[in-house]
Amino acid sequence: MNYLFRLTLLSTLLVCNATLFAQDKQTLPEDSKYHDGVPKGEIIGPIKWESKIFPGTVRDYWLYVPEQYNKEKPACLFIAQDGLNRAKGWHIPEILDNLIHKNEVPVQIGIFISPGVVPAANSNAQARFNRSFEYDALGDRYARFLIEEIIPEVKKSYNISDDPNDRAIAGASSGAICAFTAAWERPDQFRRVLSTIGTYVGLRGGDAYPVLIRKHEPKPLRVFLSDGRNDLNLYGGEWFVANQAMLSALEFSGYEVEHRWGDGGHNSKHAVQIMPDAMRWLWKNYPEPIQAGTTENRRTDLLIPNENWEAVSSGHRFTEGPVANDMGELFFTDIPNGSIHKISADGTVSTFAENSPGVNGLMFGPDGKLYACQNGNKQIVRYTMSGEMEAVCKGVESNDLVVLHDGSGYFTDPNNKKVWRFSPDGKTSVVDTGIERPNGVIVSPDQTLLTVSDTAGRFTYSFQIQPDGKLAHKQAYGHLHLPDSTGNSGADGMTVDTEGRLYVTTRQGLQVLDQPGRVHLIIDKPQDGWLSNVVFGGKNFDTLYVTCGDKVFKRRVKATGVQPWKAPVKPPKPRL
C-alpha cells in the first residue's frame, strides 16, 4: 500500500467517523432540553403490573405528572409504548415540561409502559417475550389491556379525562403499529396517534392496514407518521414503503395526517429531531374535536356526512330477521323471546306476534304475507297482517330465507350444512350441501343468482338459479375481510341494492361488495355485539336497518334497496 493511498484511506475513515459522531451527537431541539424557570414534572415508577388479559406476564410502567396537574380538573393522557427508556430517548418529559409551560399542549399525564414478559420457568429456561405478540398483532386485545387494566389503575390516583379527544398514544417500530391499532380499534378511547418507524409490515398482519384504511368507514383519528429511507427491508416487508402506503391510504380516506420523512434507519435519531413539532401537531387546535374522514373519493360512495347509526328499538334479548314492507315499515325478531316486532313509519315499536319459538329470518312474499323461520317448531310459517299464522313447510330446520316474485323461495339449514328450496305450495327439496355453516341467503336484483353466506368461512357462495329452481355453478365468490382474532368471518344476514351491491353482516362490520364479489366498503358496527342481519327500509328504501345484539339501528345512505318478492330488477353492468 503506497503512502498516497494510505493517506487517502485515513482521510476517508476520519470523515466517516466524524459523520457518524455528528449523527450520534445531533443538536437537540430547544424544546427537548431542560430550561431554567420551567416547572419540571415528576417521574413515578417503576410500577409493577401483572396482567390478566395477557396471562402470566409482568411488566413495569412509569408515570409522568406535570407540576401543573390539578386533581380537580381532568388531565389529558399521553401513552408511550416501550416504557421509560423510549420516553427518555425521545426526551418526552422535557418536551412536555416545555410545551405545557408555553400552553402549546394541554396538561397531560404520561404513562410509559413496557411490553409484557412471562418469566422463565427456571434458571436454564428462557422467558417468553410478549412484545411482538402484544404490539404487532391486529385486533383489540392490547387496547382492552390499556382500557380495562392500566388506565383504571392510574385513575385510582389521578384524574384523567375519559374524552377520547383528550388522549394520545405513541410508539416506535412495533410500538408504533401498536399505538395505531389501539386507536383504530377503539377510537372511542384514543384519537391522537404518534408513529415513528412504524412496523406496518407482514409480521402479524400489519401489512393489511393500508387496504383496511381504504375500505373501512373513516374513524375520527389524527395520525403523525415519521420514517427514514434507510429503514429496514426484511422478510416482512420494507418499512419505509409500508409507511408511505399508510400515508397514501390515510390521505385517500380523508384522515387528518401529517408526516416527516428522513434518510435515517431503524432508530430514533430522526424522531428526536422532530418530536417537539410532532407533539405540537398532535395537539394543535386543542380542544377542538378531531373529525372523521370521508368516503367521497371512493368508487363506492355510500355514506352521508353526519348520518350515523341511530338506535330505533332496544331492550330485546337478541334481534334478527329485519324486513320492510311496501311502506318501508320494519319487522324484526327477538329469537330468545320468540317474538316478532314492528317499527311503524312514525317510529312506534309494537309486538306483531308472540309465541313463535326460535323465530329467526323474515321475508315478505308476493302474497303480502310475512314468512318466518320458526325453527323452534321446525317449520316455516307465514302471517297475515292481522297476525293469523299458518305453516308453509313442516319438519325442516331453518335459519334465514328469501322469497321470490313467483312465491318460491330458499332457506338455509346451518346445523345440517344444507340449502333448501321450497315451492309456493310448501314442497321442499335440498339444493346444496357442504357449506360449513350456511346462514344468510339473498337473490340478486334480477333474481338469477342466489348468494349464501358462510358464518364459519371467509366467502359468500354464489349460485345461478335454473329454470326449475335448482342451483348450478356454485362458486366461493365474495371475498370477505376477517378480524385478526378468528379465522371465520361471522357472515350472517344480507341484502342488495339496485346497483347489485351485496351488503353482508360480519364480525368486521357491514361489508359492502360489488357485483364481482369485491369488498369496497366496510361500515362500522353500531355497537359491540353480534351484527346479525341487514335490510333496506324507510319511505324511500334508502335507509339501512341492522340488528345488532339487543338493539335495532338505522342509517340513511346513498343507495336504494331491492325487495326480492317483487318483479326482478336488472342492475347495471359492473366495473370489472
Side-chain angles (χ1 to χ4, degrees), residues 460-474:
T460 63
Y461 286 81
S462 179
F463 305 83
Q464 188 179 69
I465 301 173
Q466 302 303 291
D468 60 0
K470 294 181 180 179
L471 303 180
H473 313 311
K474 178 180 180 179

Side-chain angles (χ1 to χ4, degrees), residues 81-134:
Q81 316 324 307
D82 284 315
L84 185 62
N85 285 342
R86 175 69 65 200
K88 281 189 171 181
W90 281 347
H91 298 274
I92 292 297
E94 300 95 320
I95 291 170
L96 287 178
D97 285 344
N98 290 321
L99 299 190
I100 291 172
H101 178 65
K102 295 193 290 186
N103 294 316
E104 293 181 345
V105 302
V107 172
Q108 53 199 277
I109 299 289
I111 302 177
F112 311 141
I113 185 164
S114 298
V117 176
V118 178
N122 55 62
S123 60
N124 292 320
Q126 186 58 268
R128 188 175 77 196
F129 297 95
N130 243 38
R131 186 173 185 269
S132 178
F133 178 70
E134 294 179 10

